[in-house]
Amino acid sequence: MNLVCKAGVMAGWRMMLITGDKITPEPLFKGFMLVELIFVLGIIVSITLFGFVALHKRFSQSLLKTSAQEMVSTLTWARRLAITKRKLHKVVFAVKRRQYWIEDEDGEPLDKVINLKKGIIFANPNLNKWGEEDGIVEGGFSDNCFVFYPQGTCEGGSIYLKAENQDSWYTVTLVPSTGKANLYEGKH
């Protein structure tokens, strides 16, 4: 392989490669132009941005589902306590503080106060049900609690949880005749 130097018309000196019987010019600049780099970086940034938005939405939905499952677990635990101790137990909700806890029939809290996950709220589902404004629809009195009886039954009703920044919902519904807590995705 031979290298020959020739004067370029506009670019000054340039190296030419002689391979066999062909002479091919060697490019003046090796690498990418600034416009190409900016274009590629723009594509990478936009793909990354879409990925983060999708990941954030998925994370928010995961927190909502976890909060709803924890609530079902607490309601189930209150039902079991009522049956085994043969005493009335209730799950009390502090809607504005986004908290709930289990109390015995004397009003003494039995367990720690449970906070909803960050970004999860009790929300009004706008289903035109009486008393749904705070996100909790009781079958009995509107006292922001669900009572579980020693026979395993309870006050029926629904609890609506929503991700604050999205339109994702979970509904926890209590069946009065069995005291069972059911979890549904969406408004139910």
Side-chain angles (χ1 to χ4, degrees):
M1 186 175 348
N2 298 325
L3 291 176
V4 176
C5 287
K6 284 192 163 185
V9 178
M10 303 185 95
W13 292 92
R14 161 192 299 202
M15 298 295 251
M16 305 287 278
L17 283 170
I18 302 174
T19 55
D21 56 340
K22 291 185 179 177
I23 298 177
T24 56
E26 197 174 315
L28 287 176
F29 302 104
K30 294 183 180 177
F32 296 104
M33 293 176 58
L34 183 60
V35 173
E36 293 171 328
L37 286 174
I38 290 173
F39 183 73
V40 170
L41 284 175
I43 290 172
I44 291 171
V45 166
S46 62
I47 289 172
T48 305
L49 181 65
F50 287 126
F52 278 132
V53 168
L55 189 63
H56 177 68
K57 184 177 180 180
R58 185 74 177 148
F59 182 69
S60 235
Q61 288 174 339
S62 175
L63 284 178
L64 177 60
K65 186 175 183 177
T66 302
S67 288
Q69 288 171 336
E70 284 178 1
M71 185 171 295
V72 168
S73 177
T74 301
L75 291 165
T76 303
W77 179 243
R79 179 179 178 267
R80 287 181 185 159
L81 286 171
I83 293 169
T84 57
K85 295 194 178 203
R86 306 296 298 155
K87 288 184 174 180
L88 192 125
H89 283 75
K90 58 186 171 182
V91 178
V92 180
F93 297 90
V95 175
K96 297 214 186 293
R97 293 187 315 232
R98 299 177 20 224
Q99 298 175 330
Y100 58 98
W101 60 91
I102 299 174
E103 289 182 357
D104 63 11
E105 65 186 353
D106 300 325
E108 294 295 319
L110 297 180
D111 214 359
K112 63 180 187 241
V113 172
I114 302 165
N115 294 306
L116 291 178
K117 305 276 186 225
K118 184 178 180 182
I120 308 301
I121 58 172
F122 295 104
N124 181 355
N126 295 317
L127 298 174
N128 297 321
K129 292 181 182 177
W130 180 80
E132 72 179 1
E133 296 80 26
D134 58 1
I136 299 173
V137 180
E138 296 101 337
F141 300 106
S142 183
D143 54 359
N144 280 356
C145 73
F146 287 101
V147 178
F148 291 88
Y149 301 104
Q151 302 84 1
T153 60
C154 71
E155 290 180 339
S158 298
I159 304 158
Y160 298 94
L161 297 176
K162 180 183 183 303
E164 271 183 311
N165 55 357
Q166 295 179 7
D167 197 31
S168 300
W169 292 80
Y170 269 90
T171 304
V172 178
T173 303
L174 288 168
V175 180
S177 59
T178 62
K180 186 174 185 314
N182 296 315
L183 180 62
Y184 301 100
E185 188 171 357
K187 299 176 191 178
H188 187 75

